[in-house]
Amino acid sequence: MTDTAASTLTVVAPAYNEAQGLPAFHARLCEVLDALDLRTRVLYVDDGSRDGTWEAIRTLAANDPRTDGLRLSRNFGKEAALSAGLDHADADAVVVIDTDLQDPPELIPQLVEQWRAGFDVVYATRSAREGESRFKRFTAAAFYRVMERLSDTPLPRDTGDFRLLSRQAVLALRELRERQRFMKGLFAWIGYRQTGVSYRRHARHEGRSKWNYWRLLNLAVEGITSFSVAPLRLATWIGFGSSVLAFAYGAWVLLKALIWGDPVRGYPTLILVILFLGGVQLLALGVIGEYLGRMYAESKQRPLYFVQDRLSSDAPAAVRDDP
Ligand code: UDP
Ligand code: MG
């Protein structure tokens, strides 16, 4: 490990319509950072907010030399905002944190401690989720259990994106340019020495969660299909099983007709078989389409995000474009 006094730490904080809570977040964060014997910076990534988030970031940056800002050209989603932050954070360690104060900045010293003990990825594990409905907690728990079963990459349970990454881990993450990004999975996938620190998750400080169940469900599908081929295999097995059954049944029907004949009756079985096989085929097609869609998205090789504005106290003049 390098001389810690000279080590740098950058906090990457994605913000989408968080103008209300940002000053409070910044104040709490800075209090923690001031107490660390590290050279710290804060990098806010404005993920195409439509409220005054960018203005709030500018105000913070104007009053605090360690604060930088990055503004994406539109709302690309948290995963892309995080990636943008990681791409632009040049430090020995990077902490990823939500700006809604659900991830307590006070935990950062503990993350740093583990990093100094030699870990590359130190994730924060929630021991309690406050201000979230029982249904949300149940679905979240169910998701982690399902992922654990299906995926080849074990995900630490009850872990959000709040974590510390060493430079090595950040460099590894930058190599992963896939468009369908499930950050929690990617964090785990890169490997290296990983450990967790547990904390109590608080309710949102301001505003409300941008995730509704539809977005969460989509995130879950993203997570499962990005990290496992189990649905594809399931479709294969269902398809295989039903064809064996259909074949056996077909043989039986044929035999029966040969021996006893079957005038007109049999319509119900016929329609039943057609519907069943049609359903199975549609299911399999849907699953294939899911993966095909992914390949389509990847094959376009689009950039993950575009940066519209950049605020940086020590960036070259060319990229400093605030009036
Ligand atoms: N966020 C973002 N882009 C989005 C949605 C959210 O950058 O499209 C940020 C948001 O500002 C916050 C963090 O991601 O800092 C977590 O968002 P949120 O609190 O809505 O999610 P939850 O805590 O419910 O998982
Ligand atoms: Mg939140």
Side-chain angles (χ1 to χ4, degrees):
M1 183 121 293
T2 48
D3 178 20
T4 47
S7 294
T8 53
L9 174 90
T10 295
V11 175
V12 167
Y16 177 52
N17 296 343
E18 302 278 6
Q20 292 284 305
L22 216 53
F25 169 78
H26 192 71
R28 232 174 102 181
L29 179 66
C30 286
E31 210 167 295
V32 173
L33 296 184
D34 285 337
L36 290 171
D37 59 340
L38 290 165
R39 280 190 289 134
T40 54
R41 301 200 70 81
V42 184
L43 174 59
Y44 288 106
V45 183
D46 174 11
D47 186 16
S49 302
R50 269 158 303 178
D51 65 351
T53 301
W54 181 243
E55 286 64 38
I57 293 172
R58 278 165 82 140
T59 312
L60 294 176
N63 297 316
D64 184 355
R66 81 176 129 202
T67 307
D68 300 324
L70 204 61
R71 183 192 205 179
L72 304 190
S73 60
R74 66 169 170 85
N75 179 238
F76 281 93
K78 184 186 176 187
E79 319 276 310
L82 272 184
S83 310
L86 291 177
D87 289 346
H88 290 84
D90 180 36
D92 297 317
V94 174
V95 166
V96 171
I97 190 169
D98 284 1
T99 44
D100 58 6
L101 282 172
Q102 269 187 300
D103 301 335
E106 291 72 28
L107 196 73
I108 293 176
Q110 269 168 272
L111 301 181
V112 168
E113 201 177 297
Q114 294 298 318
W115 169 57
R116 283 185 171 147
F119 288 99
D120 289 292
V121 179
V122 189
Y123 48 84
T125 305
R126 302 180 273 251
S127 59
R129 287 171 161 238
E130 287 169 18
E132 287 182 356
S133 67
R134 195 183 278 190
F135 184 67
K136 169 114 186 232
R137 269 179 296 184
F138 172 77
T139 47
F143 170 71
Y144 286 111
R145 307 302 177 266
V146 169
M147 275 303 286
E148 213 158 83
R149 293 247 161 153
L150 290 185
S151 167
D152 315 323
T153 320
L155 277 189
R157 281 185 192 189
D158 296 325
T159 302
D161 293 327
F162 185 23
R163 64 189 69 215
L164 180 145
L165 303 157
S166 70
R167 184 187 288 276
Q168 201 173 23
V170 171
L171 290 180
L173 279 169
R174 283 190 198 158
E175 303 265 313
L176 307 179
R177 303 314 286 177
E178 62 208 80
R179 260 123 289 267
Q180 307 281 342
R181 303 181 76 75
F182 179 64
M183 291 306 278
K184 289 191 234 305
L186 298 182
F187 286 142
W189 188 84
I190 56 165
Y192 298 111
R193 288 150 296 178
Q194 308 211 355
T195 189
V197 165
S198 87
Y199 74 107
R200 294 177 67 83
R201 185 159 170 92
H202 296 283
R204 275 186 78 92
H205 186 67
E206 283 288 344
R208 45 194 296 254
S209 174
K210 276 97 197 167
W211 298 98
N212 51 36
Y213 282 109
W214 180 241
R215 283 182 89 169
L216 281 175
L217 189 68
N218 277 319
L219 187 72
V221 169
E222 201 78 72
I224 289 168
T225 47
S226 308
F227 280 88
S228 132
V229 287
L232 205 55
R233 200 155 308 141
L234 184 74
T236 314
W237 284 115
I238 291 178
F240 180 73
S242 56
S243 5
V244 167
L245 286 179
F247 186 77
Y249 185 62
W252 161 242
V253 167
L254 183 70
L255 199 71
K256 214 168 62 165
L258 284 178
I259 301 172
W260 297 291
D262 187 25
V264 189
R265 288 180 304 148
Y267 173 76
T269 29
L270 198 65
I271 208 77
L272 216 100
V273 168
I274 290 173
L275 286 179
F276 178 65
L277 287 184
V280 168
Q281 282 175 15
L282 282 180
L283 178 79
L285 273 180
V287 175
I288 292 169
E290 190 68 35
Y291 285 91
L292 203 68
R294 247 141 255 276
M295 285 168 71
Y296 173 61
E298 293 301 329
S299 67
K300 283 186 287 198
Q301 292 289 311
R302 286 200 184 143
L304 303 177
Y305 56 84
F306 288 110
V307 174
Q308 183 180 330
D309 275 313
R310 203 172 151 187
L311 286 177
S312 179
S313 27
D314 48 22
V319 289
R320 200 196 294 209
D321 44 8
D322 40 330

